[in-house]
């Protein structure tokens, strides 16, 4: 296949970007009353208004052509059919099998994996029931009231963030506490408030080799034994989720307490697996299944909708338009819903660990790939970083998202939240011209000369792009669809850029060096033989231990 920037559509897009550089979205809206309707699409309860973008039909058509020239549809088929598209690790990419309600088999290396997936889900459902009904007892015969979920990255972000997002759907008095970082203050704070007799430790690690998770679990084990538990009681209070059953059992986990996962499920795509157990414990199995179903329906939409109506394809292509043709270094996620405040951090790992690569096929590329993803809940950002988005020379496309209905809430608050959400995307798009500001200042009595100077500082350039995603309410099904939407957006962009979105070699060197430095620190070696900076940093730390 031709190099990406040699594709005909790429050159066409580059020419169009030059041609529309000085056109303003405000004029496009004024000239086309149908613009908003034309550039809005719906799927699985999510409405995407992408009209406040620097696009027209020629741009969209050329972007769709680029997707076709980069064989996105063929690559999508390869993924869903279990081909080893994670070609550096020789693995299939089948997190979609975990939410496969079609009844059809999913073949990996000649074997239908669905029986094992369904058996694991049955084990999960039974475990959730035994904990939430109080049937599962601790070593002194008491029911479990608290679960400490230990994991990091994809073994933490999904269950934690989606538990927050679905707070209106929390089902039980069992409280789940999340611990990720190896900084001991977190696990110490969490364990200090726990009663070991009624606490279950749920350790999640696909590799069962992540330093932070292993250390935190060891600390939890020491705590448990210091509280009065014995080695014989471990099986009642320690469970694990991992693809590395051997390492888990060698660590001391009872085999019947290990929930399997598979190498064809990437860590950042594992919410749907037993990694999601802490979420299922929080919202109950029925709601967890609804989450899976929402993702499944988005999978079906992604596989069947024509590109012009395909939400993952549209989001992906618009993001690529700014990344590669407007040199946008980042995009910002702005959930206008407090419970969805963690969503930017979730998509940050999903997107940046998937597409933050520089190799396509087997060659280093010279074009930009994965963007920097960041964001926080609205309206908070308006009183923090929105200034830069509105008035700097840095283009930062935004994804706004808002539930139209929120449970048990004062309508005034929600009307204010919605009006702020809509106003921000409107201000980003239309801006406010120098002339408009001078007139407004003069109308307030400001002298013309002063108004002219002040207006220069108050001018809002506008023409700043955004998408707005609306949904009736953020219920489990809609959340599942929303997460799958962004998973498939990342897939489409990775397919066009040609990167392997499913490995993460970039995190390995830091782990190796970290272990080498840890050895030097623990042996109090003040001449470790690294570079001068690292040596002096280690020396300072070693000295501080004395
Ligand atoms: O180091 C990165 C990473 O492998 C992520 O991809 C993953 O989600 C996280 O660490 C945790 O890995 P594990 O689940 O194997 O402990």
């Amino acid at each position: 296949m031709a190099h990406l920037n040699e594709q005909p559509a790429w050159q066409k897009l580059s020419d169009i970007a030059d041609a529309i550089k000085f056109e303003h979205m405000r004029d496009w809206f004024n000239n086309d009353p149908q613009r908003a309707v034309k550039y809005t699409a719906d799927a699985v309860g999510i409405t995407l208004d992408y009209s406040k973008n620097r696009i027209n039909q020629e741009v969209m058509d050329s972007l769709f052509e680029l997707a076709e020239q980069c064989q996105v549809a063929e690559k999508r088929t390869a993924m869903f059919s279990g081909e080893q598209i994670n070609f550096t690790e020789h693995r299939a990419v089948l997190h979609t099998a975990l939410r496969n309600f079609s009844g059809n088999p999913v073949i990996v290396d000649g074997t239908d994996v669905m029986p094992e997936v369904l058996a694991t889900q049955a084990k999960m459902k039974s475990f959730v029931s035994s904990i939430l009904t109080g049937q599962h007892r601790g070593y002194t015969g008491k029911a479990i009231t608290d679960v400490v979920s230990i994991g990091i990255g994809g073994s933490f972000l999904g269950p934690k963030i989606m538990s927050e997002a679905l707070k209106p759907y929390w089902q039980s008095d069992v409280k789940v506490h999340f611990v990720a970082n190896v900084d001991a203050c977190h696990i110490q704070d969490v364990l200090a408030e726990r009663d070991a007799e009624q606490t279950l430790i749920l350790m999640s690690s696909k590799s069962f080799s992540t330093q932070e998770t292993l250390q935190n679990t060891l600390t939890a084990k020491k705590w448990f034994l210091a509280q009065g538990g014995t080695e014989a009681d471990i099986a009642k209070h320690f469970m694990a989720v991992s693809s590395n059953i051997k390492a888990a059992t060698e660590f001391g986990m009872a085999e019947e307490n290990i929930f399997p996962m598979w190498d064809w499920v990437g860590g950042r795509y594992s919410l749907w697996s037993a990694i999601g157990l802490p979420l299922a414990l929080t919202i109950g199995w029925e709601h967890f299944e609804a989450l899976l179903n929402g993702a499944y329906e988005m999978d079906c939409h992604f596989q069947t909708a024509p590109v012009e109506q395909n939400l993952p394809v549209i989001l992906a292509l618009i993001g690529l338009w700014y990344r590669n043709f407007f040199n946008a270094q980042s995009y910002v996620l702005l959930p206008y819903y407090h419970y969805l405040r963690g969503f930017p951090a979730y998509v940050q790992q999903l997107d940046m660990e998937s597409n933050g690569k520089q190799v396509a096929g087997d060659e280093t590329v010279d074009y930009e790939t994965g963007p920097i993803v960041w964001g926080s809940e609205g309206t908070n950002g308006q009183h923090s970083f929105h200034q830069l988005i509105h008035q700097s020379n840095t283009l930062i496309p935004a994804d706004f998202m808002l539930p139209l209905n929120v449970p048990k809430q004062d309508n005034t608050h929600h009307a204010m939240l919605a009006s702020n959400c809509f106003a921000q995307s409107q201000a980003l798009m239309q801006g406010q011209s120098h002339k408009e500001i001078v007139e407004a200042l003069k109308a307030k009595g400001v002298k013309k000369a002063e108004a002219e100077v002040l207006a220069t500082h108050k001018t809002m350039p506008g023409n700043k792009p955004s998408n707005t995603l609306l949904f009736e309410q953020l219920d489990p099904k809609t959340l599942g669809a929303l997460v799958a939407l962004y998973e498939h957006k990342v897939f489409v962009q990775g397919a066009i850029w040609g990167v392997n979105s499913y490995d993460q070699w970039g995190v390995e060197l830091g782990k190796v060096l970290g272990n080498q430095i840890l050895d030097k620190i623990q042996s109090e070696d003040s001449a470790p033989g690294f570079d001068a900076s690292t040596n002096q940093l280690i020396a300072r730390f070693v000295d501080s231990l004395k």
Side-chain angles (χ1 to χ4, degrees):
M1 190 169 83
H3 286 286
L4 176 57
N5 35 24
E6 292 164 356
Q7 294 291 0
W10 184 278
Q11 192 49 55
K12 192 192 291 186
L13 286 160
S14 180
D15 296 341
I16 297 170
D18 286 342
I20 67 168
K21 193 178 291 181
F22 300 109
E23 294 192 32
H24 202 292
M25 278 191 267
R26 189 172 45 201
D27 301 326
W28 290 351
F29 274 99
N30 292 337
N31 298 335
D32 179 2
Q34 288 307 305
R35 183 177 174 83
V37 171
K38 194 184 295 181
Y39 298 125
T40 294
D42 297 88
V44 198
I46 297 172
T47 295
L48 169 63
D49 176 347
Y50 60 103
S51 60
K52 295 192 182 88
N53 276 296
R54 299 184 66 177
I55 53 133
N56 55 32
Q57 203 50 52
E58 188 185 21
V59 172
M60 293 311 297
D61 291 344
S62 303
L63 286 169
F64 294 138
E65 281 172 26
L66 182 65
E68 186 179 1
Q69 289 166 12
C70 294
Q71 299 178 322
V72 167
E74 293 81 353
K75 292 173 182 177
R76 177 181 58 198
T77 301
M79 173 173 72
F80 278 92
S81 56
E83 286 187 31
Q84 294 186 349
I85 65 169
N86 177 359
F87 49 86
T88 61
E89 294 180 298
H90 310 293
R91 292 174 178 173
V93 172
L94 280 167
H95 44 282
T96 50
L98 302 171
R99 65 232 192 176
N100 169 28
F101 289 87
S102 70
N104 299 327
V106 176
I107 308 301
V108 177
D109 302 330
T111 303
D112 178 8
V113 297
M114 287 315 297
E116 195 177 353
V117 168
L118 296 173
T120 302
Q121 286 181 347
K123 181 183 169 94
M124 290 168 65
K125 181 177 180 181
S126 169
F127 169 68
V128 167
S129 170
S130 72
I131 295 291
L132 299 192
T133 60
Q135 179 194 344
H136 182 104
R137 296 286 166 157
Y139 71 97
T140 60
K142 293 180 181 175
I144 298 298
T145 58
D146 292 84
V147 175
V148 176
S149 174
I150 299 175
I152 197 164
S155 298
F156 154 69
L157 288 167
K160 178 189 183 287
I161 289 165
M162 305 313 153
S163 296
E164 281 175 356
L166 294 174
K167 186 168 183 197
Y169 299 88
W170 289 5
Q171 287 294 300
S172 73
D173 296 332
V174 174
K175 289 287 172 282
V176 178
H177 314 271
F178 293 91
V179 175
N181 199 337
V182 75
D183 180 343
C185 66
H186 195 177
I187 190 152
Q188 285 168 351
D189 288 355
V190 167
L191 294 178
E193 297 174 1
R194 302 286 80 78
D195 170 358
E197 296 178 44
Q198 297 191 272
T199 297
L200 183 118
I201 306 294
L202 179 58
M203 187 264 206
S204 297
S205 177
K206 177 183 173 185
S207 62
F208 215 93
S209 66
T210 301
Q211 178 198 64
E212 298 95 325
T213 305
L214 292 172
Q215 182 56 40
N216 278 326
T217 306
L218 277 175
T219 298
K221 194 170 177 180
K222 284 177 190 162
W223 166 82
F224 178 75
L225 298 174
Q227 295 292 309
T230 67
E231 287 289 349
D233 303 321
I234 290 288
K236 293 189 176 75
H237 291 265
F238 284 74
M239 304 268 182
V241 178
S242 186
S243 64
N244 191 341
I245 307 301
K246 180 173 180 295
T249 48
E250 286 169 357
F251 185 87
M253 295 289 179
E255 185 141 5
E256 68 273 14
N257 287 351
I258 302 169
F259 294 84
M261 57 190 291
W262 303 275
D263 68 7
W264 36 263
V265 178
R268 52 193 173 274
Y269 296 89
S270 61
L271 168 68
W272 325 100
S273 72
I275 292 289
L277 264 178
L279 173 60
L281 285 165
T282 304
I283 62 174
W285 185 257
E286 188 182 334
H287 286 319
F288 185 76
E289 215 162 35
L291 178 98
L292 296 177
N293 191 264
Y296 169 67
E297 291 198 14
M298 184 55 75
D299 293 344
C300 297
H301 167 74
F302 176 47
Q303 292 180 90
T304 58
V307 288
E308 297 80 5
Q309 296 302 318
N310 197 305
L311 267 59
V313 172
I314 292 166
L315 265 188
L317 292 174
I318 288 176
L320 186 141
W321 173 233
Y322 298 123
R323 187 82 182 98
N324 295 109
F325 298 95
F326 287 76
N327 196 30
Q329 296 301 307
S330 77
Y331 78 88
V332 63
L333 283 162
L334 301 170
Y336 273 67
Y337 184 41
H338 177 62
Y339 291 151
L340 206 49
R341 61 192 179 277
F343 196 64
Y346 183 81
V347 177
Q348 202 167 57
Q349 183 198 16
L350 176 67
D351 200 315
M352 295 176 75
E353 197 170 71
S354 293
N355 290 341
K357 316 280 171 72
Q358 62 175 7
V359 174
D362 52 10
E363 290 180 342
T364 302
V365 296
D366 58 359
Y367 48 78
E368 299 287 3
T369 57
I372 297 162
V373 180
W374 60 289
S376 73
E377 63 183 285
T379 62
N380 299 16
Q382 296 171 209
H383 305 274
S384 161
F385 52 78
H386 281 220
Q387 163 60 44
L388 184 144
I389 302 174
H390 281 289
Q391 276 196 328
S392 81
N393 290 324
T394 303
L395 178 70
I396 303 178
D399 283 358
F400 290 90
M401 42 195 78
L402 174 85
L404 294 171
N405 303 290
V406 287
K408 300 192 290 289
Q409 200 187 90
D410 173 292
N411 287 336
T412 303
H413 279 258
H414 197 51
M416 286 179 177
L417 188 69
S419 56
N420 274 284
C421 178
F422 303 156
Q424 287 299 309
S425 70
Q426 182 187 20
L428 285 169
M429 181 277 290
Q430 73 181 31
Q432 194 173 28
S433 69
H434 188 277
K435 183 170 181 288
E436 288 165 330
I437 294 168
V438 168
E439 292 312 313
L441 288 169
K442 282 166 56 179
K444 289 178 182 172
V446 177
K447 292 193 175 20
K448 186 176 185 314
E450 185 184 352
E452 291 286 348
V453 171
L454 188 54
T456 304
H457 295 271
K458 295 185 76 170
T459 296
M460 299 281 281
N463 225 14
K464 309 268 188 183
S466 68
N467 298 304
T468 298
L469 292 87
L470 295 180
F471 25 88
E472 283 305 315
Q473 64 281 318
L474 193 71
D475 56 27
K477 178 175 180 179
T478 304
L479 182 61
L482 183 68
V483 174
L485 167 58
Y486 278 86
E487 285 180 344
H488 295 318
K489 171 199 176 182
V490 166
F491 169 84
V492 172
Q493 291 188 334
I496 293 174
W497 286 323
V499 300
N500 177 357
S501 300
Y502 301 99
D503 59 16
Q504 52 283 323
W505 300 113
V507 303
E508 294 310 313
L509 178 59
K511 293 178 181 178
V512 170
L513 296 177
N515 287 324
Q516 290 174 2
I517 291 171
L518 179 63
D519 289 346
K520 298 297 183 185
I521 286 176
Q522 289 179 328
S523 59
E524 300 197 6
D525 179 345
S526 55
F530 299 123
D531 62 274
S533 168
T534 305
N535 288 344
Q536 76 176 2
L537 296 171
I538 293 169
R540 283 292 302 274
F541 189 86
V542 168
D543 290 347
S544 72
L545 298 174
K546 290 168 184 162

